[in-house]
Amino acid sequence: MSAHSPQSRMASGQLIMVVGPSGAGKDSILALVKAAMPDLVFVRRTITRPADDGFEDHVPVSDDEFEALSKTGEFLMEWAANGLRYGIPKSVSADLARGNRVVFNGSRGALPQIAEAYPDIFVLSIEVSKDVLRDRLERRGRETPEAIEARLARDVPDFPAGVQVEVIDNSGPLENAVAQMIDAISRQTRDGTAA
């Protein structure tokens, strides 16, 4: 994982990172928040997976293409997770400098390095109970029962000290989680503290 810090020192906007396990409903929540809060900037990630995989709208690239983009400095931050590589475009620094609130789908494992470069980052953690998560992953049908249980048994790293985190509970109806996220973002001020 790498995150480049010089731009963070000049940023006047707010960087908002959404984290949560696969199956927690991040993409569904973000789609509805995006429709409700058009003043936010939602980042389209570059990912080494096909465009027609049924996941989020992203920029699909091969491993070689990702490596070339990385070497030419096209990413503000990047990380690897679950056999894929993820990149956040460097255009995010310009959005922050303009005072925008920028939302991106991130990785909890990459958060320590991202928070080091952007100490005022605001993290929204999408969480669900293990039973709900198991049921969603089973209904999705993309993993074997063994793979699902292995995913559920993974250790979740603690959040770095000093990082502001708000938990969004998506164990119930989707609209409840969407309302929680809209409220959490609305309470944020530009300096990263709750209003």
Side-chain angles (χ1 to χ4, degrees):
M1 151 61 211
S2 63
H4 310 291
S5 61
Q7 299 91 337
S8 69
R9 306 285 193 272
M10 304 174 349
S12 59
Q14 176 69 55
L15 192 60
I16 302 169
M17 179 174 172
V18 178
V19 299
S22 179
K26 297 185 299 292
D27 293 330
S28 298
I29 295 169
L30 285 171
L32 293 173
V33 171
K34 182 177 182 178
M37 302 185 81
D39 59 311
L40 302 178
V41 174
F42 287 82
V43 177
R44 188 170 179 233
R45 303 187 296 178
T46 298
I47 310 176
T48 56
R49 70 179 174 208
D52 59 351
D53 62 3
F55 290 89
E56 69 181 278
D57 177 31
H58 65 279
V59 179
V61 295
S62 68
D63 285 312
D64 289 343
E65 289 169 328
F66 191 101
E67 186 62 25
L69 290 168
S70 177
K71 285 182 177 177
T72 57
E74 294 303 310
F75 299 130
L76 185 64
M77 60 186 78
E78 60 186 83
W79 65 88
N82 302 313
L84 299 172
R85 295 177 75 183
Y86 299 80
I88 301 298
K90 65 181 180 182
S91 60
V92 164
S93 60
D95 289 316
L96 291 170
R98 286 192 289 269
N100 292 318
R101 292 181 294 173
V102 179
V103 181
F104 73 100
N105 188 345
S107 166
R108 189 158 172 169
L111 181 56
Q113 291 80 19
I114 295 172
E116 187 175 331
Y118 297 89
D120 65 343
I121 193 167
F122 178 45
V123 178
L124 295 166
S125 178
I126 311 300
E127 299 183 8
V128 297
S129 69
K130 279 196 174 183
D131 288 340
V132 169
L133 187 58
R134 179 183 290 108
D135 180 63
R136 289 180 184 170
L137 292 171
E138 288 173 350
R139 282 190 282 124
R140 196 164 66 175
R142 291 199 298 257
E143 296 173 289
T144 65
E146 295 77 17
I148 290 172
E149 291 307 316
R151 183 182 287 278
L152 293 172
R154 284 182 191 157
D155 286 332
V156 178
D158 292 334
F159 289 109
V163 173
Q164 185 181 2
V165 179
E166 185 143 349
V167 173
I168 307 296
D169 181 7
N170 193 28
S171 298
L174 180 62
E175 58 268 21
N176 290 354
V178 171
Q180 290 173 56
M181 185 177 286
I182 290 172
D183 178 63
I185 294 172
S186 297
R187 286 186 279 109
Q188 281 301 107
T189 60
R190 285 186 176 173
D191 65 2
T193 58

